Amino acid sequence: MDKVYHKEAFERASEAYRTAVLTAGIEEFSELGLEKANINIIAKKAGVSVGLLYKYFDTKEDFFFTCVEDAMRTLEDIIEGVVNSNDKILVRAEKLIRAIQTTSGADSKYVKLYNEITKVSGNDGAAELVKKVEGISAKTYNEFIKRAQESGDIRSDCDSAMFAFFFDTLLMTLQFSYTCDYYRERLKLFCGEDIFENDDRMVTELLKFLEAAFTFEHDDIKKFNK
Amino acid sequence: MDKVYHKEAFERASEAYRTAVLTAGIEEFSELGLEKANINIIAKKAGVSVGLLYKYFDTKEDFFFTCVEDAMRTLEDIIEGVVNSNDKILVRAEKLIRAIQTTSGADSKYVKLYNEITKVSGNDGAAELVKKVEGISAKTYNEFIKRAQESGDIRSDCDSAMFAFFFDTLLMTLQFSYTCDYYRERLKLFCGEDIFENDDRMVTELLKFLEAAFTFEHDDIKKFNK
DNA sequence: TGTAAATTCGTGAGCAGTCGCTCACACCAC
DNA sequence: GTGGTGTGAGCGACTGCTCACGAATTTACA
C-alpha cells in the first residue's frame, strides 16, 4: 500500500550518504521547489555524483518525494512532540500555535517543503502525498473532536470531520503564513508589519476565535438573547 | 505606484489580439503554472507569433503577471458581484461559500491561477502581487468587522484585523479545496469523497463555525456556565 | 494629395543556455 | 568472475528569447 519512491540501493547505502543526500535535497527543494531545483547542484552539495543519485532514485520526482517523506516525518516529530497528552483542544491549539511560531525559524525548510507539496500538479501523485502528509492530523483531529463532544468539552451540534477540517485549515495556513513568501506578505497585509514580533497577539486572538467556534452551539444564541 | 507588467505595444494592440493572448495565457498558466507553461505553445494557441508576444511583454514572468491581474479582476467580479449590499457577515459568508462552490466549475481556471500566485518565489514579486490580489478583501473585511462591532452584530472583544485574517483564510482555502489538486484531495481525506456532491453540508457547518466564532465573547463562557 | 521616409506590426527559424539523465569506466568485496 | 558501488563528462531534449526580414501603417513634407 505505502508506495516507496527510492530504489533498493538507497537502503543499502551508508547512513552518512543517505543523510547527506536527503539534507541537500531538502535544502534545495524547499528553497527552489521541485521544478527549479537542479539535480546536478544537489549532487554537488551532497558531495556525491549525479550517477549515484540515479542509482538511488529513478527520477528527480522520486527523489523529491523521498525528501518530502523525510521532512514530513521530522516536522511531525517537532509538532506532535509538543502536543502529546490528553490536553483539551484549546491547550492543544495554543501549543500548536507556539510550536508553529518557533518552527518558522531554524526549521523553516521543512515547512517550506510542506508548502511545495501543495504545488505538485498531476493528481496521481497528489492523492498519495496527501494521505502521507495530512492523513495523521485528519484522523487525529476528527477522533479528538468526537471524544471531546462525548465528554461535553466541545459543542455537540457540529460535524466533527468538518470542524477538524476548519481547525487544520487555520493551522496549516498559519504555518505557511510564518514561513512562505506569499503567505508572509498576506499576513503582513492583514495584520501589519509587526505581527511577526508580537507572537502573543496571534495566540490570544486565534484562541478566542477557536474557543467560541468550538464551544457555543447554534441554539445558544436564542438562550443568550443575542 | 501600480506596476504595469506589459509594454506599450500591448495597449495599442487590437482587442482581439489582447483577449486571444490573455485567454491562452490564463489557460496554460492556470493548468501548468509559471514554470512549466511553454511560451511557444501559448503563442501557438493564441494564434500569434512568439516574436509578437515579446513585443507585448519583456519576459515570461511579466506576461504571467499580466494574466494574473486580468484573471483576478474577473474572479473579483464574480465573487464580489455576489456579495454587494450591507448584508450581515453570515449572510455574506453564505453567499461567498456558494459562489465559491459554483466557481469551481467553469471558472476554475481563475481560481487555479490564484493558487499559482502563492507559489511564486522571490519576495520582490510576492509583495507586489499580494497587495493586488488580497488588498481589497483585507481592507473590506477589516472595516466590515469594525462597523459590525460598533452596531453590536459581532463580538466586541476581538481584534478586527486578526479576525478578518481568519475569515479570509477559511474562505481562501475553501476556494482551493474546491478546485486545486492537492487541496481537493485534502478535503476528501477530511470529509469523505461525497463532500463535493453535498454543498449544503459545507455551507451549514462552516456557517455554524463562523457564527459562533464571531458572536460569542470570551466572558460569555462564565455567564453561560460552560 | 501623392509619395518618400520612418515607425510599428507581425513572423518564425533558430541561437544559446539549461538540465535531467545515461553510460562507459574504475574500483572494491567476496 | 560476478555483482555491487561510485564517478562525471557529456548527450539530447527542451525552451526562453532574439533578430533579420517583410508587410502594413503612420508621419513629413512639397
Side-chain angles (χ1 to χ4, degrees), chain B residues 39-54:
Chain B
I39 285 285
N40 298 280
I41 291 177
I42 295 178
K44 194 161 280 175
K45 284 202 178 179
V48 150
S49 70
V50 214
L52 189 57
L53 259 189
Y54 280 88

mmCIF file of all heavy atoms in Angstrom, chain B residues 39-54:
data_model
loop_
_atom_site.group_PDB
_atom_site.id
_atom_site.type_symbol
_atom_site.label_atom_id
_atom_site.label_comp_id
_atom_site.label_asym_id
_atom_site.label_seq_id
_atom_site.Cartn_x
_atom_site.Cartn_y
_atom_site.Cartn_z
ATOM 1 N N ILE B 39 5.958 29.154 -23.446
ATOM 2 C CA ILE B 39 5.639 30.368 -24.201
ATOM 3 C C ILE B 39 5.308 30.068 -25.654
ATOM 4 O O ILE B 39 4.364 30.609 -26.226
ATOM 5 C CB ILE B 39 6.826 31.349 -24.134
ATOM 6 C CG1 ILE B 39 6.885 32.013 -22.764
ATOM 7 C CG2 ILE B 39 6.715 32.409 -25.202
ATOM 8 C CD1 ILE B 39 5.845 33.065 -22.557
ATOM 9 N N ASN B 40 6.086 29.201 -26.265
ATOM 10 C CA ASN B 40 5.882 28.876 -27.683
ATOM 11 C C ASN B 40 4.505 28.266 -27.917
ATOM 12 O O ASN B 40 3.824 28.562 -28.898
ATOM 13 C CB ASN B 40 6.975 27.916 -28.154
ATOM 14 C CG ASN B 40 8.354 28.532 -28.056
ATOM 15 O OD1 ASN B 40 8.771 29.305 -28.904
ATOM 16 N ND2 ASN B 40 9.057 28.224 -26.983
ATOM 17 N N ILE B 41 4.115 27.398 -26.979
ATOM 18 C CA ILE B 41 2.811 26.754 -27.100
ATOM 19 C C ILE B 41 1.688 27.764 -26.858
ATOM 20 O O ILE B 41 0.698 27.775 -27.589
ATOM 21 C CB ILE B 41 2.712 25.585 -26.095
ATOM 22 C CG1 ILE B 41 3.668 24.460 -26.537
ATOM 23 C CG2 ILE B 41 1.284 25.070 -25.994
ATOM 24 C CD1 ILE B 41 3.717 23.280 -25.599
ATOM 25 N N ILE B 42 1.867 28.608 -25.866
ATOM 26 C CA ILE B 42 0.860 29.640 -25.603
ATOM 27 C C ILE B 42 0.660 30.505 -26.842
ATOM 28 O O ILE B 42 -0.458 30.788 -27.252
ATOM 29 C CB ILE B 42 1.267 30.520 -24.404
ATOM 30 C CG1 ILE B 42 1.294 29.689 -23.117
ATOM 31 C CG2 ILE B 42 0.299 31.686 -24.244
ATOM 32 C CD1 ILE B 42 1.726 30.467 -21.890
ATOM 33 N N ALA B 43 1.794 30.910 -27.457
ATOM 34 C CA ALA B 43 1.720 31.740 -28.658
ATOM 35 C C ALA B 43 0.928 31.023 -29.750
ATOM 36 O O ALA B 43 0.043 31.603 -30.381
ATOM 37 C CB ALA B 43 3.127 32.071 -29.144
ATOM 38 N N LYS B 44 1.251 29.739 -29.930
ATOM 39 C CA LYS B 44 0.548 28.959 -30.957
ATOM 40 C C LYS B 44 -0.941 28.904 -30.656
ATOM 41 O O LYS B 44 -1.786 29.125 -31.531
ATOM 42 C CB LYS B 44 1.141 27.548 -31.034
ATOM 43 C CG LYS B 44 0.722 26.777 -32.260
ATOM 44 C CD LYS B 44 1.666 25.610 -32.540
ATOM 45 C CE LYS B 44 2.959 26.064 -33.235
ATOM 46 N NZ LYS B 44 3.930 24.971 -33.405
ATOM 47 N N LYS B 45 -1.282 28.616 -29.396
ATOM 48 C CA LYS B 45 -2.688 28.525 -29.001
ATOM 49 C C LYS B 45 -3.421 29.852 -29.170
ATOM 50 O O LYS B 45 -4.623 29.880 -29.426
ATOM 51 C CB LYS B 45 -2.803 28.063 -27.542
ATOM 52 C CG LYS B 45 -2.538 26.581 -27.367
ATOM 53 C CD LYS B 45 -3.156 26.051 -26.076
ATOM 54 C CE LYS B 45 -2.897 24.549 -25.967
ATOM 55 N NZ LYS B 45 -3.442 23.972 -24.728
ATOM 56 N N ALA B 46 -2.677 30.934 -29.009
ATOM 57 C CA ALA B 46 -3.291 32.256 -29.153
ATOM 58 C C ALA B 46 -3.357 32.667 -30.623
ATOM 59 O O ALA B 46 -3.964 33.678 -30.965
ATOM 60 C CB ALA B 46 -2.508 33.283 -28.349
ATOM 61 N N GLY B 47 -2.716 31.886 -31.498
ATOM 62 C CA GLY B 47 -2.682 32.225 -32.916
ATOM 63 C C GLY B 47 -1.838 33.450 -33.198
ATOM 64 O O GLY B 47 -2.197 34.320 -33.982
ATOM 65 N N VAL B 48 -0.687 33.483 -32.557
ATOM 66 C CA VAL B 48 0.181 34.663 -32.589
ATOM 67 C C VAL B 48 1.632 34.182 -32.570
ATOM 68 O O VAL B 48 1.925 33.122 -32.039
ATOM 69 C CB VAL B 48 -0.135 35.526 -31.339
ATOM 70 C CG1 VAL B 48 1.077 36.296 -30.878
ATOM 71 C CG2 VAL B 48 -1.297 36.460 -31.610
ATOM 72 N N SER B 49 2.535 34.928 -33.165
ATOM 73 C CA SER B 49 3.930 34.502 -33.153
ATOM 74 C C SER B 49 4.595 34.836 -31.812
ATOM 75 O O SER B 49 4.172 35.753 -31.109
ATOM 76 C CB SER B 49 4.691 35.193 -34.265
ATOM 77 O OG SER B 49 4.837 36.561 -33.973
ATOM 78 N N VAL B 50 5.639 34.064 -31.500
ATOM 79 C CA VAL B 50 6.369 34.324 -30.248
ATOM 80 C C VAL B 50 6.935 35.730 -30.257
ATOM 81 O O VAL B 50 6.941 36.416 -29.228
ATOM 82 C CB VAL B 50 7.564 33.367 -30.062
ATOM 83 C CG1 VAL B 50 7.752 33.044 -28.623
ATOM 84 C CG2 VAL B 50 7.401 32.128 -30.907
ATOM 85 N N GLY B 51 7.428 36.123 -31.413
ATOM 86 C CA GLY B 51 8.016 37.447 -31.551
ATOM 87 C C GLY B 51 7.073 38.533 -31.090
ATOM 88 O O GLY B 51 7.463 39.455 -30.360
ATOM 89 N N LEU B 52 5.816 38.390 -31.463
ATOM 90 C CA LEU B 52 4.826 39.409 -31.100
ATOM 91 C C LEU B 52 4.602 39.434 -29.587
ATOM 92 O O LEU B 52 4.511 40.501 -28.979
ATOM 93 C CB LEU B 52 3.508 39.135 -31.821
ATOM 94 C CG LEU B 52 2.468 40.254 -31.693
ATOM 95 C CD1 LEU B 52 3.010 41.571 -32.187
ATOM 96 C CD2 LEU B 52 1.202 39.891 -32.442
ATOM 97 N N LEU B 53 4.553 38.251 -29.009
ATOM 98 C CA LEU B 53 4.399 38.166 -27.550
ATOM 99 C C LEU B 53 5.481 38.984 -26.857
ATOM 100 O O LEU B 53 5.233 39.683 -25.885
ATOM 101 C CB LEU B 53 4.487 36.714 -27.089
ATOM 102 C CG LEU B 53 3.187 36.007 -26.772
ATOM 103 C CD1 LEU B 53 3.446 34.664 -26.121
ATOM 104 C CD2 LEU B 53 2.326 36.862 -25.868
ATOM 105 N N TYR B 54 6.695 38.873 -27.412
ATOM 106 C CA TYR B 54 7.813 39.589 -26.801
ATOM 107 C C TYR B 54 7.853 41.066 -27.203
ATOM 108 O O TYR B 54 8.701 41.808 -26.728
ATOM 109 C CB TYR B 54 9.130 38.868 -27.082
ATOM 110 C CG TYR B 54 9.315 37.706 -26.154
ATOM 111 C CD1 TYR B 54 8.821 36.443 -26.466
ATOM 112 C CD2 TYR B 54 9.910 37.889 -24.909
ATOM 113 C CE1 TYR B 54 8.959 35.386 -25.585
ATOM 114 C CE2 TYR B 54 10.053 36.840 -24.023
ATOM 115 C CZ TYR B 54 9.569 35.590 -24.372
ATOM 116 O OH TYR B 54 9.692 34.543 -23.492
#
